[in-house]
Amino acid sequence: MMVVLTGCPGPVRQDVAMSTPGPTPTPAPTPPPPPYVPSRKTETGKIFNGMQYRVTLETEFGTTATAERNNPESYLAELVMKVKVPKPHQNLEEISRLNAQLPELLPGLKTMIETATVSPRFDDLYRLKVASLRASLNRLDGLLSRHNFYDCETLLELQHPETKRRALFIQSDMDVDTDGSDTDRVPEILGASSTFQPFTSYRWPKKTENPSSFIPGREAKMKQNEQELAGNPTAARREQLKTAQNELKEEIADLKRFSFLVGQADPFIVLPGSMFGKSKAGPFAPAVGDYSVVIHGGVLYPAIVGDVGPSAKMGEASLRICKQISPTANSAYRAVSDLKVTYVVFPGTVERPFAVPDLAKWQANCAKLLAEIGGHRGELFVWEDLTKPKPAPAPPAETPPPPAAPPTPAAP
């Protein structure tokens, strides 16, 4: 007989229970990497004309490279140009920050500036500057430079309460004008500047038959244009050539008939073309030939309004004035970069007909006009006429022979 022993079941071992195989879990799929899209980035820099620019790079998901290459909107730069238009100074304290000597140099300025008004020509100037920027937005390299945009601090209309003498007060910088030619007085003109023109707005009939050295080049250009016209150019090009021929013909006639101010010899200033014309008529309207005084560094320089410049540019004087203020000035380097030059223009003082510059007369008339606005206390510069030949130095006086020595007495 078989006996089977039974008892209570014992505890289950944990290691045995865990080792029991179960169902295998399915691994989660690895997500694909997102397309490369860099983060937003902003860079700030400055281009050659002094304008600051800020570029923000923004990217977004597109389609295929083939599709985006054919979509102009896929690769696009949007430009927003921001410009702050300045306001003109209207009181002596603000103006004196640029030229602390003005109240001393022009004692009547304090009285006149109390009733001064901002000239509408200031507003016209900056309207034209903004228009110039707008017209050049498609060519950033052609934008007006930051320096030339902010080239006029103020433009005021002054009138002395007693003498009623009117004056335009301009605070600006000083660029260089090398234009002009006069073979009667200055036979050789360098004309090395890329913007040089042998003409100025102030001109008078020639006195001699001395030919201008700027005529042969223009005659050669006319012959070249004639040859191109004979070659049956396009209609548009033909019109360009005809216009150029008329301009060259007129310039040659002027060079044969007139003399002009000479930038390197004559003291004159240049005002923007926007200040002239029939629409600008009025008691404060300047004219070519009006007397003016340039003030810088405690010195007052007599001058006239001698030329008409670009309509959106202020602050320009002849090379003669620029060299006197800054000896290093030339066609490439302005005389004064800061807005620390004062131009006082006396409208309605032009003398006609225009004539050969008489610098002594110019100085005397400017002294008289300054007296009519309260006088001046600084040095009124005296210009030397560089076009007149200097007298030859006198020969040295003959030295008389020394007196003869007395005879030596004979020995006794």
Side-chain angles (χ1 to χ4, degrees):
M1 182 173 77
M2 180 177 297
V3 178
V4 178
L5 300 176
T6 62
C8 295
V12 179
R13 293 175 55 186
Q14 294 296 322
D15 57 342
V16 175
M18 292 179 63
S19 62
T20 303
T24 304
T26 303
T30 303
Y36 172 70
V37 178
S39 59
R40 172 173 174 155
K41 188 176 182 181
T42 300
E43 296 285 351
T44 301
K46 183 171 70 173
I47 60 178
F48 73 95
N49 62 4
M51 184 180 72
Q52 295 283 339
Y53 67 88
R54 185 178 296 112
V55 179
T56 300
L57 176 63
E58 297 181 354
T59 57
E60 59 185 65
F61 293 117
T63 56
T64 66
T66 300
E68 302 301 352
R69 175 181 285 183
N70 295 320
N71 180 9
E73 298 295 323
S74 300
Y75 202 74
L76 174 68
E78 294 182 345
L79 174 65
V80 177
M81 186 172 179
K82 298 181 179 181
V83 178
K84 293 184 178 180
V85 178
K87 64 177 182 178
H89 286 335
Q90 293 182 249
N91 62 66
L92 190 57
E93 180 182 356
E94 292 175 331
I95 295 172
S96 298
R97 293 173 185 171
L98 293 171
N99 189 346
Q101 297 173 303
L102 273 178
E104 175 68 19
L105 296 174
L106 298 177
L109 183 59
K110 181 178 180 180
T111 301
M112 290 187 295
I113 212 166
E114 292 176 355
T115 57
T117 58
V118 176
S119 171
R121 293 166 181 81
F122 182 90
D123 199 34
D124 292 343
L125 177 69
Y126 276 94
R127 286 180 186 275
L128 287 168
K129 290 177 182 291
V130 172
S132 173
L133 294 179
R134 185 178 293 110
S136 303
L137 286 178
N138 61 335
R139 286 291 306 272
L140 293 182
D141 57 344
L143 286 174
L144 193 66
S145 72
R146 179 174 181 163
H147 180 97
N148 285 334
F149 187 85
Y150 299 106
D151 62 7
C152 184
E153 187 76 12
T154 194
L155 205 170
L156 302 176
E157 296 179 348
L158 309 176
Q159 186 171 23
H160 194 273
E162 297 176 2
T163 65
K164 306 303 179 184
R165 171 57 64 189
R166 297 183 179 91
L168 282 174
F169 180 96
I170 304 169
Q171 192 71 27
S172 184
D173 58 6
M174 182 178 283
D175 290 335
V176 181
D177 184 1
T178 61
D179 290 348
S181 63
D182 179 9
T183 53
D184 293 350
R185 298 181 300 144
V186 187
E188 296 295 331
I189 301 292
L190 295 178
S193 168
S194 59
T195 59
F196 172 83
Q197 291 292 337
F199 320 97
T200 60
S201 302
Y202 188 99
R203 63 185 187 178
W204 60 94
K206 284 178 61 64
K207 307 297 182 183
T208 72
E209 297 297 325
N210 296 340
S212 171
S213 60
F214 300 102
I215 292 178
R218 284 167 169 76
E219 291 176 336
K221 183 63 178 176
M222 287 193 69
K223 291 182 180 179
Q224 180 181 342
N225 291 344
E226 289 174 0
Q227 293 175 355
E228 188 175 349
L229 281 168
N232 195 23
T234 63
R237 179 58 179 164
R238 179 176 293 276
E239 288 301 316
Q240 291 177 350
L241 291 171
K242 287 183 177 180
T243 301
Q245 292 292 76
N246 292 334
E247 291 177 353
L248 289 169
K249 188 181 299 184
E250 184 177 347
E251 289 179 357
I252 292 172
D254 286 345
L255 289 170
K256 290 180 177 180
R257 181 181 176 188
F258 295 106
S259 289
F260 307 88
L261 295 175
V262 179
Q264 66 190 48
D266 299 321
F268 63 88
I269 68 171
V270 182
L271 293 180
S274 57
M275 297 182 70
F276 301 90
K278 293 182 179 179
S279 62
K280 308 297 180 181
F284 286 93
V288 173
D290 278 341
Y291 287 103
S292 63
V293 174
V294 180
I295 305 174
H296 183 267
V299 182
L300 298 89
Y301 300 92
I304 66 165
V305 178
D307 208 358
V308 177
S311 291
K313 181 180 178 182
M314 184 68 80
E316 192 172 359
S318 66
L319 181 61
R320 179 73 190 277
I321 296 178
C322 292
K323 281 284 189 184
Q324 189 62 44
I325 291 176
S326 175
T328 59
N330 56 39
S331 60
Y333 296 96
R334 60 179 58 92
V336 183
S337 292
D338 296 328
L339 304 178
K340 295 186 176 182
V341 183
T342 303
Y343 303 83
V344 180
V345 179
F346 298 97
T349 59
V350 56
E351 296 181 350
R352 301 181 185 277
F354 295 164
V356 179
D358 185 340
L359 302 187
K361 178 182 177 182
W362 289 9
Q363 196 224 16
N365 287 340
C366 285
K368 178 182 177 182
L369 291 166
L370 286 170
E372 294 178 1
I373 61 169
H376 68 92
R377 293 175 182 163
E379 173 194 356
L380 185 60
F381 192 78
V382 179
W383 294 106
E384 176 188 0
D385 192 341
L386 301 181
T387 67
K388 292 183 178 180
K390 295 183 179 180
E398 295 184 2
T399 305
T408 305

